[in-house]
Amino acid sequence: KALSLPDADGKTRTLADFSGKVVIVFFGFAQCPDVCPSTLAEIAAVRTQLGAAGVKVQPVFITVDPERDTAAVLKDYVRTFGDDVIALRGTLEQTQAAAREFKVFFAKVPGKTEGSYTVDHTAGSFVFDAKGKVRLFVRYGSGVEALTADLKTLLAEG
């Protein structure tokens, strides 16, 4: 899978930037009420359980709501889940292209009040090995223990 999107500082990032690390890519948005924060919290818990090896796991959060998720919003949001979590924010067109590459669905859904909305999106994470090859699709709610075991296996492969 190819990935090329700007981070919250405007620097274009690709999977090659994280060579040597196990990368977890998750599409979501900062105002997500449940799936996104619980997924990012789960990834943070897994990294803690991995101890020293946790630094070799790189979470990458891609916003599906670039309209509301400004660079500042994203920086604040991902910092909650770790100082080194990378947030990517493209234009709507760039985000749609990345979603197509990953076969991820997302769509704006009107809210209860005029002008408000939420975003439905695929609720799973993609895990890449240290060589940049996609190895796992982790379904939402799979749990900390299962993901920790999977990542230990990938980290042991180098």
Side-chain angles (χ1 to χ4, degrees), residues 3 11 23 44 58 60 66 82 94 114 122 128:
L3 179 63
K11 179 183 174 195
V23 180
Q58 178 62 61
V60 176
Q94 289 171 317
E114 191 177 331
T122 301
F128 293 80

Side-chain angles (χ1 to χ4, degrees), residues 28-34 36-37 40 61-66 68-70 73-78 81 119 121:
F29 65 112
Q31 291 190 28
C32 180
D34 44 28
C36 302
L40 290 167
F61 179 80
I62 301 173
T63 182
V64 293
D65 188 12
R68 289 185 297 199
D69 288 349
T70 63
V73 165
L74 283 173
K75 280 184 188 180
D76 283 349
Y77 182 69
V78 297
F81 305 102
V119 184
H121 62 92

Side-chain angles (χ1 to χ4, degrees), residues 1-2 27 95-106 121-124 126 137:
K1 305 223 176 274
F27 288 77
T95 304
Q96 288 167 335
R100 274 193 304 276
E101 177 72 20
F102 281 78
K103 295 179 176 50
V104 164
F105 163 85
F106 73 95
H121 62 92
T122 301
F126 298 84
F137 178 77

